[in-house]
Amino acid sequence: MSTDFIQAVTANRLSDGFVVYLTAQDRWSEQIEDCQSADDRGAAETLFARAQQLAAGAQIAGPYLFKIARQDGRPIPLGRREIIRTTGPSVGTDLNKG
Amino acid sequence: MYRYDEFDHAFVAERVAQFRGQVARRMAGELSEDEFKPLRLMNGLYLQLHAYMLRVAVPYGTLSALQMRKLAHIARTYDRGYGHFTTRQNIQYTWPRLGQVPDILAELAEVEMHAIQTSGNCIRNTTADPLAGVAADEIDDPRVYAEIIRQWSTLHPEFSFLPRKFKIAVTGAPNDRAVTRGHDIGLRMHRDGDGAPGFEVMVGGGQGRTPIMAKTIRDFLPVDQLLSYLEAVLRVYNQLGRRDNIYKARIKILVQSVGAATFAEMVEAEWQEIRDGALDLPAGELDRIAAYFAPPPHDDLSVACPALDQAISANAHFAAWEESNVLAHKRPGYAITTISLKPHGGIPGNASAEQMDAVADLAEQYGFDEIRLSHKQNLILPDVKKTDLHALWLSLGKWGLATANAGRISDIIACPGLDYCNLANARSIPIAQRISERFTDLARERQIGDLSLNISGCINACAHHHVANIGILGVDKKGAEFYQITLGGVANENAAIGAIIGPAFDEWQITDAVETIVDVYLQQRETDERFINTYQRVGPDPFKEQLYASDQAR
């Protein structure tokens, strides 16, 4: 297993669709810094299984795993799509998440 | 304008109540997302990258001032103060909260609007020529038939679970302003030898990953037989359309695989079974619907308008706007005006709540209370006296709505792209912003003249890039956004699909590439020749040579 394989779970919050991340405390946080990450495929599967159990409630919709990198210990989303999900639209900055 | 009857009111109110219950059950955890998703989609509610998106239909693109004010109110109260007008005569709200969507739908119902069938594998909002009822070249008002199709198709039990979505567009004029050949069914009005109106029926058009222009399967269909024939087309598709592969499920693939002639025979056979029955439109019913679309009480005016001529002479900016944004009206002394939602550097199709309110006021003041949406993501006031044009232009200017670019290179159609859309591979809006900023010089834009440039953020082609003179498609290359250019697309009655010119450009090269294309055109064009005509005359090679000149040098 490659050492740079790190994944976390994201979803959209049911009430407003906002992007959220699964934390180690089984909460859903708007901050990617709070995400729990999995360093290998087995851990990722376990993490995702937990997310699916939590999704059975009515807090979030559509959980999935995505790749991150760690920079100075902070999780950085990989790929344009996940970067934009994390930061909000790159246009019309007055309309960004806030 | 069509007004709901008691049945319409009761139906939409009941639908809102149903959805309120469905949302409550979802939020209480009684419905899973898998169970809820098809229910929300049937009410136009998507889940996008950052939030929900509610798509509201504006049937055949016609709005009253009251309805526009309601759209503004919803933007202000339930969203972030703006709305996004789309190529299919819808408005999209980008940030609604799930729990408030039933309230939004209830507010829409108050002004006879809804979000039904703006998503899902059903017959979507039927679109029409935005110049319906006012265009000089029109045979008959297509909205009459679009409304009849709306009533027939709304929650049609047989066609609520089609193999894939199904889009119909109607035009009543020979000059096609509704991209009819780009639809699953396109209807174009003609007259028969006796002068009676009927439709040419075109089937199997669409863009997306397999762009195909619709084929004519019937040259002339009497208007009273419209619904039975449409029902026959839908039945053949519903039975034979592929359900095993989402990419091959649209009717265009079926028509392509069996051939248009065979498909026409199948439809004819089905039609023989059901024609001359309950779906025939009685003359009384046609007249009843047509009466809703009767022209407003125009004054008898002369063609000449010295006040307008004077204003044009006195102000070059007004003259430029009048040249690009004002079209001929069928009534003497009146004009059709395009309100551009494409300010240079702005987000194509977006309007703030304040702008929507302003347009509503101006429609009441100058335009018989009527507003239209065009597939170009602009608004139209279809009934303005020529003597009022200057005053209207001044008022529009106060709201940032007087950009003189209708039909020009900065009148860009752009989808929300990867900034908002769950399906997108690349961003569209920032590219549109940079290109339109590159062409802010009014004199230069006028010199370039009529030119369509559309940008889609993925192969689904919501921004109609295939039928743009210059089409731009965003693609993902190993995590980076790249933009592929097609040239030669046409969206009118001579609809054609553009051809890929060569390798894609990155986000920092694409604006220069567009400028190179424009430069080649200006070098090559003959007097007053439009971009598309030059391209058709000289072909892709001169463009290719300039675009990839540095590659060859390497």
Side-chain angles (χ1 to χ4, degrees):
Chain A
M1 180 56 62
S2 155
T3 52
D4 62 5
F5 176 95
I6 314 178
Q7 291 194 322
V9 170
T10 182
N12 290 83
R13 191 161 59 201
L14 187 71
S15 60
D16 52 16
F18 279 20
V19 176
V20 289
Y21 302 94
L22 180 59
T23 73
Q25 294 76 38
D26 283 351
R27 288 188 307 106
W28 295 96
S29 170
E30 279 189 59
Q31 309 302 322
I32 193 170
E33 290 77 13
D34 297 337
C35 77
Q36 182 176 12
S37 55
D39 292 348
D40 60 52
R41 199 169 294 278
E45 281 171 11
T46 306
L47 187 64
F48 185 58
R50 250 177 54 215
Q52 282 185 305
Q53 275 188 335
L54 292 168
Q59 281 188 308
I60 57 106
Y64 62 90
L65 288 160
F66 71 107
K67 287 182 182 170
I68 59 171
R70 289 261 171 207
Q71 234 173 50
D72 303 328
R74 290 164 61 91
I76 308 291
L78 295 179
R80 178 67 76 181
R81 174 191 157 91
E82 291 306 327
I83 291 169
I84 289 175
R85 282 183 84 248
T86 302
T87 58
S90 69
V91 294
T93 49
D94 54 320
L95 303 169
N96 275 5
K97 292 189 288 184
Chain B
M1 182 174 292
Y2 181 75
R3 299 304 311 265
Y4 279 13
D5 60 17
E6 272 179 43
F7 173 82
D8 295 321
H9 276 293
F11 162 71
V12 174
E14 185 186 348
R15 181 73 174 204
V16 173
Q18 278 174 0
F19 192 57
R20 195 180 290 283
Q22 290 158 355
V23 169
R25 282 188 283 151
R26 174 69 185 114
M27 295 185 80
E30 293 167 23
L31 290 176
S32 70
E33 186 60 20
D34 285 347
E35 290 166 325
F36 180 63
K37 186 177 174 183
L39 301 174
R40 66 169 161 77
L41 288 178
M42 284 179 197
N43 291 282
L45 187 63
Y46 289 73
L47 187 48
Q48 297 286 38
L49 285 186
H50 313 285
Y52 290 96
M53 180 272 280
L54 181 66
R55 181 182 293 155
V56 176
V58 178
Y60 32 87
T62 295
L63 277 172
S64 67
L66 179 75
Q67 290 173 319
M68 185 61 105
R69 286 201 187 93
K70 180 63 88 177
L71 297 181
H73 166 75
I74 290 168
R76 197 179 283 121
T77 310
Y78 301 97
D79 210 276
R80 296 193 174 188
Y82 74 103
H84 176 75
F85 291 99
T86 78
T87 54
R88 292 210 76 257
Q89 298 177 326
N90 299 304
I91 180 172
Q92 294 181 174
Y93 293 106
T94 309
W95 304 94
R97 299 173 66 87
L98 178 59
Q100 291 186 327
V101 173
D103 295 335
I104 298 174
L105 296 180
E107 296 240 23
L108 288 169
E110 287 175 15
V111 295
E112 306 183 358
M113 295 181 75
H114 60 67
I116 298 166
Q117 291 180 202
T118 58
S119 177
N121 294 337
C122 55
I123 300 171
R124 300 287 187 89
N125 182 33
T126 297
T127 55
D129 183 351
L131 308 191
V134 294
D137 61 343
E138 185 172 275
I139 295 167
D140 195 8
D141 193 326
R143 295 173 300 170
V144 178
Y145 305 96
E147 172 57 29
I148 287 167
I149 293 168
R150 187 180 76 87
Q151 295 192 14
W152 160 75
S153 66
T154 300
L155 302 199
H156 192 306
E158 197 176 326
F159 306 136
S160 292
F161 297 95
L162 293 167
R164 197 76 179 87
K165 59 187 170 184
F166 202 92
K167 301 174 182 177
I168 303 176
V170 195
T171 177
N175 295 302
D176 188 354
R177 293 170 287 261
V179 205
T180 52
R181 282 211 191 270
H183 283 74
D184 295 288
I185 294 180
L187 297 169
R188 185 183 301 169
M189 190 168 280
H190 298 282
R191 287 193 191 280
D192 67 8
D194 299 326
F199 287 107
E200 176 186 354
V201 182
M202 300 168 276
V203 170
Q207 300 194 47
R209 71 182 57 230
T210 314
I212 300 174
M213 293 292 99
K215 308 284 190 300
T216 298
I217 62 162
R218 190 173 183 84
D219 292 327
F220 190 84
L221 177 73
V223 292
D224 61 334
Q225 297 180 313
L226 176 64
L227 292 187
S228 62
Y229 194 82
L230 291 183
E231 186 134 324
V233 174
L234 264 296
R235 278 192 168 180
V236 172
Y237 169 55
N238 206 14
Q239 286 168 21
L240 300 178
R242 287 183 61 172
R243 292 171 189 270
D244 60 322
N245 183 338
I246 191 172
Y247 302 122
K248 297 188 183 300
R250 296 289 289 268
I251 193 174
K252 62 189 173 187
I253 304 295
L254 174 63
V255 174
Q256 192 182 42
S257 66
V258 300
T262 304
F263 186 82
E265 284 168 18
M266 290 189 221
V267 170
E268 199 68 24
E270 181 66 36
W271 192 41
Q272 293 308 322
E273 299 287 324
I274 59 172
R275 63 180 295 186
D276 303 325
L279 285 171
D280 276 4
L281 295 165
E285 183 62 8
L286 259 175
D287 293 344
R288 187 182 75 82
I289 303 282
Y292 286 114
F293 299 97
H298 292 113
D299 290 338
D300 286 325
L301 302 171
S302 64
V303 177
C305 187
L308 175 63
D309 297 340
Q310 207 172 2
I312 289 170
S313 309
N315 187 318
H317 291 283
F318 174 64
W321 180 80
E322 197 275 340
E323 180 184 272
S324 58
N325 291 40
V326 175
L327 294 167
H329 194 287
K330 69 179 181 185
R331 293 277 307 199
Y334 284 86
I336 301 164
T337 61
T338 299
I339 299 174
S340 170
L341 297 182
K342 319 289 178 62
H344 294 99
I347 296 178
N350 273 20
S352 68
E354 291 71 27
Q355 288 175 321
M356 289 187 236
D357 278 336
V359 170
D361 291 346
L362 293 169
E364 281 179 339
Q365 192 176 352
Y366 297 117
F368 293 108
D369 188 20
E370 192 152 320
I371 303 153
R372 305 288 177 78
L373 269 56
S374 78
H375 82 272
K376 299 269 300 183
Q377 299 179 287
N378 289 319
L379 303 177
I380 288 167
L381 297 187
D383 265 309
V384 180
K385 279 183 188 170
K386 285 183 178 179
T387 48
D388 289 335
L389 284 174
H390 187 252
L392 171 67
W393 173 75
L394 286 173
S395 297
L396 288 170
K398 291 177 195 162
W399 296 99
L401 292 169
T403 310
N405 65 349
R408 299 276 163 80
I409 191 168
S410 64
D411 186 6
I412 297 170
I413 299 178
C415 66
L418 190 55
D419 281 301
Y420 298 95
C421 178
N422 220 353
L423 301 174
N425 291 322
R427 289 171 297 161
S428 307
I429 295 169
I431 306 305
Q433 289 174 314
R434 283 180 215 143
I435 293 172
S436 70
E437 279 171 344
R438 185 68 68 93
F439 294 95
T440 46
D441 178 25
L442 194 61
R444 187 169 177 225
E445 198 163 19
R446 288 175 79 185
Q447 183 199 9
I448 297 164
D450 287 351
L451 196 162
S452 60
L453 191 158
N454 302 346
I455 307 173
S456 300
C458 77
I459 194 64
N460 290 303
C462 291
H464 297 190
H465 68 273
H466 292 298
V467 292
N469 299 165
I470 302 175
I472 299 178
L473 166 65
V475 294
D476 177 286
K477 277 192 180 181
K478 296 178 182 170
E481 294 159 293
F482 275 75
Y483 296 89
Q484 193 176 68
I485 293 178
T486 51
L487 294 182
V490 180
N492 63 18
E493 59 283 0
N494 303 312
I497 295 160
I500 295 171
I501 191 74
F505 297 90
D506 72 23
E507 66 169 304
W508 304 112
Q509 298 166 328
I510 185 69
T511 307
D512 289 340
V514 168
E515 191 155 30
T516 299
I517 292 166
V518 169
D519 289 342
V520 173
Y521 156 58
L522 293 176
Q523 289 156 15
Q524 296 278 341
R525 84 166 164 193
E526 295 176 349
T527 313
D528 293 336
E529 194 176 41
R530 291 182 310 152
F531 175 87
I532 188 64
N533 300 118
T534 300
Y535 176 80
Q536 287 167 346
R537 180 172 54 77
V538 305
D541 289 347
F543 296 93
K544 209 177 278 187
E545 281 163 20
Q546 287 294 316
L547 280 171
Y548 302 104
S550 57
D551 292 359
Q552 288 161 358
R554 255 180 247 148

